[in-house]
Amino acid sequence: MARGLEEWLAPRRDGRPLQLGVLGGTFDPIHIGHLVAAEAARTHFRLDRVLFVPAGRPPHKDPAAVSDAEHRYRMTVLATAGNPYFYTTRLELDREGPSYTIDTLRQLSAMAGPEATVYFIAGADSVVTLPSWRGGLGLLDACQLIVVTRPGLPGEALQRFLDSLPAARRARVHLLPIPEIGISSTDLRERVAAGRSIRYLVPAAVEDYVHKYGLYRPRGAGAGSERAGEAAALRRAGTSGAPEGAGEAAGAPGAGPGSAAGAAGGGAGRA
């Protein structure tokens, strides 16, 4: 386990219980919708930190249809580098076997300690399928759940899900309406494959990374034919070269206890 994550999950310096947000996903690629949701959750629920967890082996997706984990991790590191409250972990990438959310939440809860509260951030479309996930509704025993929704009343599927929950579990579900951002990773991959721009839909550093390594381009289209070998080279080289403070590539979190970024920005840095 990277020392950076352990430090980042350390108790707050003022003794108050840690409030930790967790946003998992394939992040193929990560886009501004993910970042907006994470920041909205952080500010609305007064979270000390938000942890981004790229999935290693998503059990619900065809492995052949998912980009190499190293590329997805590095794009997430780049996307979160500018926010001292965000941190990207290799937790699921370095774990053997499929990536199950409930295993990750239990591991993070154990690392953060019994006084910490873990908030899992997810979209409404995903939440309504929760009964089919590994552990099912038991996931609500491992965390508080923040459901990102569109403004207005919950959709019918989400309302049915909420109505089906026992009172104790319903109390652990919190709705977070945010403006709708019509961006999906699927659409972004299709745009790149068609030679269309993704500028302003992803952070500039992610756009540059996609083009540098030829991600999402048809096989044989320039750099895209070499991406598997490049990803393997990145794994052999470790994670050097990623932005300092954004993830475990740096070895220590930018907004962790005692860091310069945290001290300047307050909040998580004083935790």
Side-chain angles (χ1 to χ4, degrees):
M1 181 61 59
R3 179 60 182 167
L5 179 58
E6 294 175 350
E7 292 179 355
W8 209 73
L9 295 178
R12 292 174 54 101
R13 289 181 176 176
D14 59 10
R16 290 191 296 165
L18 176 67
Q19 307 295 301
L20 175 67
V22 177
L23 180 62
T26 311
F27 300 135
D28 194 18
I30 189 170
H31 54 70
I32 62 170
H34 297 123
L35 302 174
V36 168
E39 180 67 4
R42 184 188 72 81
T43 56
H44 185 83
F45 293 96
R46 299 182 180 275
L47 305 179
D48 296 303
R49 307 154 193 176
V50 178
L51 188 67
F52 286 70
V53 188
R57 286 176 49 192
H60 59 293
K61 294 189 177 183
D62 178 3
V66 179
S67 298
D68 186 273
E70 200 64 39
H71 283 312
R72 294 185 288 105
Y73 167 75
R74 291 173 70 87
M75 286 190 288
T76 309
V77 169
L78 290 167
T80 56
N83 190 322
Y85 302 99
F86 290 175
Y87 185 69
T88 301
T89 178
R90 300 182 59 88
L91 190 66
E92 290 191 357
L93 276 66
D94 295 339
R95 180 195 301 155
E96 294 184 0
S99 301
Y100 292 110
T101 298
I102 193 166
D103 295 338
T104 298
L105 292 174
R106 287 171 174 167
Q107 184 174 358
L108 290 172
S109 294
M111 294 176 67
E115 299 300 320
T117 301
V118 175
Y119 292 81
F120 180 59
I121 306 165
D125 292 346
S126 296
V127 167
V128 297
T129 67
L130 187 60
S132 67
W133 294 18
R134 184 184 180 96
L137 296 179
L139 183 141
L140 293 175
D141 300 327
C143 67
Q144 301 282 327
L145 178 61
I146 297 175
V147 184
V148 179
T149 68
R150 301 180 181 90
L153 297 175
E156 291 184 8
L158 178 58
Q159 190 60 60
R160 286 196 300 270
F161 169 77
L162 296 174
D163 292 343
S164 72
L165 296 175
R169 283 179 169 166
R170 175 62 183 87
R172 300 175 69 85
V173 180
H174 314 278
L175 303 186
L176 176 64
I178 65 172
E180 183 175 3
I181 300 176
I183 303 174
S184 73
S185 295
T186 299
D187 176 61
L188 293 173
R189 294 193 299 271
E190 292 174 350
R191 292 177 71 92
V192 174
R196 298 165 61 196
S197 174
I198 57 172
R199 182 170 294 182
Y200 308 125
L201 302 177
V202 300
V206 173
E207 180 191 15
D208 291 343
Y209 188 96
V210 167
H211 293 316
K212 176 180 179 179
Y213 290 101
L215 302 183
Y216 315 127
R217 296 172 62 185
R219 290 290 180 180
S225 61
E226 302 172 2
R227 58 193 171 193
E230 290 166 337
L234 289 174
R235 286 193 296 274
R236 288 194 299 271
T239 53
S240 60
E244 184 175 359
E248 288 161 7
S259 70
R270 293 194 296 269

